[in-house]
């Protein structure tokens, strides 16, 4: 049974309180909490786009397969060219094969985490089929299920995401991550006007010991979808205050401001057009930017070949 300290660390990681988590001191290396705490802390650094900080925490002599996988994921995130990228992916592929043997250092939980970390990298690399194969459609690891659900939602297959969720309810406890999975599906499908999703985020944000810009952004998006624009902007502005430069929060704020175009943002000091240009400049690879850019290019292509018909002559009586 995990300690109360480790339980709290796990909850913070699940709810995206990464900045709080990385500020926590690691327990003594002789403690049974040391390894899982190290794994959560290094993964939090990776989520904050600070892979080098994660690598700095990992002992060079580490032989545990999960720790090796975290290091490989950090190297993948920090890769500057295709050679480094492919090298890190190969490391994760090798580890995914290695854990099938009996002579590896790590528990069954560590082995499951290897698959989660490898699957994460494969998704980021666009290798969706490899990610799903690595994670396993019949897995009984809830983190793996969470990623599988995210994959299915990203390819517009909420039906398959729901099947994974319903399957996991048969064996998973009433875990916080299970509730988060359900809320994520609700956010995409709009079930019951996003009522369950909104309630979940609000309940978690009511925890005075939790600071999570990720949750604020998620509730902000939910409120946009519910038509609560002023409340959404308030959530997103608070998210900015806690963590500047987050692409998801900025994209959501652009949408909220566009829907409330009559008012300029007091926090950003800019209108929708200025906010959009900032998003394009700072996060050109964000899905919203790429989608709008693609549609704008298509419009220009079609407009270029469109022939304006001659104006009809009006015959006066």
């Amino acid at each position: 049974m995990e300690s109360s300290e480790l339980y709290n660390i796990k909850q913070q990681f699940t709810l995206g309180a990464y900045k709080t988590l990385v500020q926590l001191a690691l327990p003594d290396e002789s403690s049974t909490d040391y390894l899982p705490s190290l794994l959560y802390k290094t993964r939090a650094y990776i989520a904050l786009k600070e892979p080098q900080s994660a690598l700095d925490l990992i002992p060079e002599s580490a032989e545990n397969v999960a720790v090796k996988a975290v290091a490989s994921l950090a190297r993948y995130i920090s890769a500057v060219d295709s050679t480094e990228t492919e090298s890190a992916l190969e490391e994760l592929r090798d580890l995914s094969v290695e854990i099938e043997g009996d002579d590896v250092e790590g528990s069954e939980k560590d082995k499951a985490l290897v698959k989660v970390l490898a699957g994460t990298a494969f998704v980021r690399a666009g290798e969706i089929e490899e990610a799903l194969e690595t994670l396993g459609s019949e897995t009984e690891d809830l983190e793996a299920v969470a990623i599988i659900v995210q994959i299915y939602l990203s390819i517009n297959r909420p039906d398959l995401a729901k099947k994974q969720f319903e399957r996991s309810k048969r064996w998973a406890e009433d875990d916080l991550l299970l509730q988060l999975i359900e809320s994520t599906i609700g956010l995409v499908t709009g079930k019951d006007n996003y009522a369950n999703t909104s309630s979940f985020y609000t309940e978690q944000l009511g925890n005075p010991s939790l600071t999570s810009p990720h949750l604020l952004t998620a509730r902000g998006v939910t409120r946009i979808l519910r038509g609560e624009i002023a409340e959404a902007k308030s959530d997103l502005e608070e998210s900015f205050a806690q963590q500047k430069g987050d692409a998801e929060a900025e994209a959501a704020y652009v949408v909220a401001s566009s829907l409330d175009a009559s008012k300029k943002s007091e926090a950003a000091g800019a209108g929708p057009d200025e906010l959009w240009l900032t998003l394009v400049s700072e996060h050109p690879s964000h899905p919203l930017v790429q989608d709008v850019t693609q549609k704008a290019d298509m419009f220009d292509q079609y407009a270029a070949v469109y022939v304006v018909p001659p104006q009809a002559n009006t015959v006066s009586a």
Side-chain angles (χ1 to χ4, degrees):
M1 184 174 179
E2 61 190 23
S3 68
S4 59
E5 291 80 7
L6 185 58
Y7 175 81
N8 289 331
I9 289 174
K10 178 182 176 181
Q11 301 297 77
Q12 288 178 330
F13 182 84
T14 299
L15 295 174
Y18 305 124
K19 293 188 73 173
T20 301
L21 202 162
V22 297
Q23 293 170 3
L24 298 177
L26 289 172
D28 187 87
E29 291 187 25
S30 62
S31 169
T32 55
D33 284 353
Y34 171 73
L35 182 60
S37 298
L38 173 66
L39 290 169
Y40 280 122
K41 188 167 183 174
T42 49
R43 294 172 68 192
Y45 270 125
I46 292 173
L48 290 170
K49 299 182 176 63
E50 299 179 30
Q52 188 55 52
S53 296
L55 290 169
D56 291 342
L57 277 179
I58 297 174
E60 294 183 5
S61 58
E63 290 297 326
N64 179 277
V65 286
V67 176
K68 286 183 176 180
V70 168
S72 296
L73 179 60
R75 283 191 284 272
Y76 170 77
I77 299 298
S78 62
V80 296
D81 56 43
S82 58
T83 300
E84 291 183 358
T85 297
E86 191 54 40
S87 175
L89 290 175
E90 281 302 314
E91 290 174 8
L92 289 165
R93 291 186 181 105
D94 291 343
L95 286 169
S96 298
V97 174
E98 185 179 331
I99 59 175
E100 299 301 326
D102 298 324
D103 57 344
V104 295
E105 183 176 317
S107 64
E108 291 303 311
K109 189 172 182 179
D110 293 331
K111 293 178 183 179
L113 182 55
V114 170
K115 294 185 178 183
V116 167
L117 297 168
T120 299
F122 299 152
V123 170
R124 292 178 67 99
E127 302 293 342
I128 302 301
E129 291 185 8
E130 185 174 15
L132 290 171
E133 182 179 351
T134 300
L135 294 164
S137 60
E138 297 301 317
T139 180
E140 292 193 3
D141 180 78
L142 205 52
E143 279 204 74
V145 172
I147 298 176
I148 293 170
V149 166
Q150 289 281 0
I151 291 172
Y152 285 143
L153 293 177
S154 73
I155 59 175
N156 298 317
R157 290 303 306 270
D159 56 320
L160 297 180
K162 290 177 184 177
K163 285 183 179 179
Q164 278 291 326
F165 171 68
E166 294 298 330
R167 183 185 68 81
S168 64
K169 285 199 300 184
R170 295 197 294 268
W171 50 263
E173 299 176 0
D174 187 20
D175 190 277
L176 181 64
L177 181 54
L178 189 65
Q179 297 176 49
L180 181 59
I181 292 170
E182 182 180 21
S183 296
T184 302
I185 294 173
L187 181 60
V188 173
T189 60
K191 182 180 179 181
D192 299 327
N193 193 31
Y194 311 98
N196 179 68
T197 300
S198 180
S199 296
F200 174 76
Y201 293 141
T202 298
E203 178 184 355
Q204 301 309 319
L205 285 166
N207 183 347
S209 63
L210 179 73
T211 301
S212 174
H214 173 78
L215 277 181
L216 282 166
T217 299
R219 189 173 69 173
V221 171
T222 306
R223 284 176 159 175
I224 290 173
L225 294 169
R226 287 167 63 91
E228 301 166 356
I229 306 305
E231 294 84 351
K233 292 175 73 173
S234 177
D235 276 347
L236 295 167
E237 286 166 4
E238 188 175 348
S239 177
F240 291 147
Q242 294 181 10
Q243 182 174 316
K244 297 184 183 300
D246 181 71
E248 297 304 325
E250 289 187 16
Y253 198 79
V254 168
V255 174
S257 297
S258 298
L259 294 171
D260 190 27
S262 60
K263 300 178 181 179
K264 284 195 173 184
S265 162
E266 294 181 4
D273 292 341
E274 294 90 342
L275 291 169
W276 171 252
L277 291 175
T278 300
L279 180 67
V280 172
S281 174
E282 295 180 355
H283 307 286
S285 62
H286 189 276
L288 178 63
V289 174
Q290 293 187 333
D291 183 56
V292 173
T293 301
Q294 181 185 34
K295 286 180 170 59
D297 290 341
M298 290 174 61
F299 178 85
D300 291 341
Q301 292 174 15
Y302 292 137
V305 298
Y306 179 73
V307 178
V308 180
Q311 185 175 1
N313 293 325
T314 302
V315 179
S316 57

